[in-house]
Amino acid sequence: MRVSVLLSAVLWYLTGVKIYVKLHHHSPILVCMDIKHAEIETVDPTYQWIGPNEKPLTGNYRINKTKTGKLMVKDFLEPLSGLYTCTLSYKTIKAQTQEEKMVKQRYDFMLFAYREPDYSYQMAVRFTTKSCVGRYNDLLFRVLKKILDNLISDLSCQIVEPSYKCHFVKLPKHGLLNELFIVFQVNPFAPGWKGACSDTIDCEDVTNHNILQARDRIEEFFRSQAKIFYHDFNKTIPAMHFVDHSFQVIRMDSCRPGFGKNEGLHSNCATCCVVCSPGTFSPDVDVTCQTCISIRTYGAKSCP
């Protein structure tokens, strides 16, 4: 749950505040009153809440309202995103004449469903080789992929889009060396990955935890390769070996369909995958919502 200002999970009205509620979690308690009015006496107050699309908030078990003007949305879903408006009506009474005057004050709250991005990693590593021609390069590549797959298989993670190219490299004070430039991605969506999420509503928390473990294991594997090279091979240098300090890793985020990132629109939740607003959609695991002017709902996954 992310908001600009959050006090003990109770949110008083503040101008311009956007409220981000994690998918399947409860919203903060919204109070139909600002702090100024909360600190003074209010006579005969009544509260009228209107939800997204200007619909009265009645008959929805996810909406929890109190007689004192508080509202909480339970088990927040994409369609519950939007503008929530409350009108506070109360009376002012002149002490001398007892004249009554009805006063109305409107408060707007913008709520957005969000979820954490799915992590994956782009990795690159280099190995020396005797020649750029020959079957041994392909054999090393296949064996390396198999080792890495086995290393992370229990985490429901997998190696995808592996490839390599052979280049000759000129190092300072050395001649030309042949090196294999190997790249691959690691993601947490190996066959059967959904089984790991059966006991939780925050599936991305599980998959992100798994992919972080996979990253650490792969980093440790290549770190051990460097140690083996320096400590076990004194004078005999194998023709094919890991190039120390060549391992590189970059995290790549993706959002589930119907969600995307927009740092300009959602600066207070810039790293979140926020529900696509009306007029936009996201059909796949991209990181941005695309424009589609005919869409009138939140969380669209296609453009009609």
Side-chain angles (χ1 to χ4, degrees):
M1 177 171 55
R2 306 191 186 195
V3 295
S4 297
V5 177
L6 182 60
L7 301 174
S8 302
V10 176
L11 191 66
W12 303 90
Y13 173 75
L14 292 169
T15 304
V17 171
K18 294 179 180 179
I19 305 161
Y20 300 92
V21 186
K22 195 170 185 180
L23 199 68
H24 297 300
H25 286 242
H26 298 342
S27 76
I29 297 173
L30 309 181
V31 182
C32 186
M33 188 175 289
D34 52 42
I35 296 178
K36 177 183 176 181
H37 283 89
E39 294 176 344
I40 61 176
E41 182 180 74
T42 308
V43 179
D44 292 339
T46 61
Y47 312 90
Q48 182 181 14
W49 282 95
I50 300 295
N53 300 318
E54 299 184 356
K55 294 181 179 179
L57 294 175
T58 57
N60 189 333
Y61 73 93
R62 287 189 168 90
I63 304 298
N64 186 2
K65 295 186 295 181
T66 71
K67 295 180 179 180
T68 55
K70 296 177 181 178
L71 179 142
M72 182 179 70
V73 186
K74 300 182 294 184
D75 189 19
F76 204 84
L77 299 176
E78 299 96 313
L80 296 171
S81 301
L83 178 64
Y84 288 73
T85 299
C86 182
T87 301
L88 165 64
S89 303
Y90 62 95
K91 294 176 182 178
T92 60
I93 303 176
K94 291 185 178 181
Q96 294 179 339
T97 63
Q98 293 297 299
E99 178 184 352
E100 298 181 2
K101 180 181 179 181
M102 182 64 69
V103 180
K104 293 188 177 183
Q105 183 72 42
R106 170 175 163 159
Y107 303 101
D108 293 338
F109 301 86
M110 280 298 302
L111 272 62
F112 298 93
Y114 84 92
R115 62 193 312 161
E116 297 295 337
D118 290 307
Y119 302 159
S120 62
Y121 287 94
Q122 177 82 24
M123 298 185 178
V125 67
R126 289 157 64 177
F127 277 77
T128 63
T129 182
K130 187 175 183 180
S131 170
C132 282
V133 179
R135 62 186 182 88
Y136 293 104
N137 295 335
D138 193 52
L139 179 61
L140 170 70
F141 176 70
R142 294 200 307 269
V143 169
L144 178 64
K145 181 181 182 302
K146 186 175 181 179
I147 291 172
L148 297 180
D149 273 330
N150 291 337
L151 193 65
I152 61 176
S153 61
D154 64 307
L155 300 172
S156 298
C157 295
Q158 62 181 352
I159 306 296
V160 296
E161 300 182 14
S163 64
Y164 75 91
K165 289 185 178 180
C166 188
H167 300 276
F168 53 91
V169 180
K170 174 66 175 70
L171 298 178
K173 300 180 181 180
H174 291 79
L176 294 175
L177 295 177
N178 295 312
E179 292 188 1
L180 300 180
F181 288 58
I182 301 172
V183 296
F184 55 92
Q185 291 184 23
V186 185
N187 71 38
F189 304 120
W193 67 271
K194 290 184 179 180
C197 300
S198 58
D199 296 328
T200 178
I201 58 175
D202 297 319
C203 189
E204 62 267 30
D205 290 351
V206 175
T207 55
N208 286 343
H209 175 73
N210 288 345
I211 194 67
L212 289 172
Q213 287 193 69
R215 179 204 62 186
D216 292 345
R217 289 185 189 181
I218 293 173
E219 285 184 341
E220 179 57 31
F221 169 78
F222 286 114
R223 194 179 298 118
S224 68
Q225 294 300 302
K227 292 179 181 178
I228 291 172
F229 175 70
Y230 281 109
H231 294 288
D232 293 353
F233 295 105
N234 297 322
K235 294 183 179 179
T236 303
I237 301 176
M240 305 183 79
H241 64 80
F242 169 70
V243 177
D244 194 18
H245 302 301
S246 69
F247 179 71
Q248 297 179 326
V249 56
I250 300 174
R251 197 185 89 181
M252 301 185 300
D253 292 353
S254 60
C255 297
R256 301 287 175 93
F259 292 80
K261 289 186 177 184
N262 189 325
E263 187 173 353
L265 184 61
H266 302 295
S267 58
N268 292 320
C269 205
T271 62
C272 310
C273 290
V274 181
V275 64
C276 293
S277 296
T280 64
F281 75 106
S282 179
D284 48 33
V285 289
D286 202 352
V287 289
T288 57
C289 298
Q290 305 172 31
T291 301
C292 180
I293 59 175
S294 61
I295 294 174
R296 299 289 181 264
T297 59
Y298 285 88
K301 302 175 183 177
S302 62
C303 182

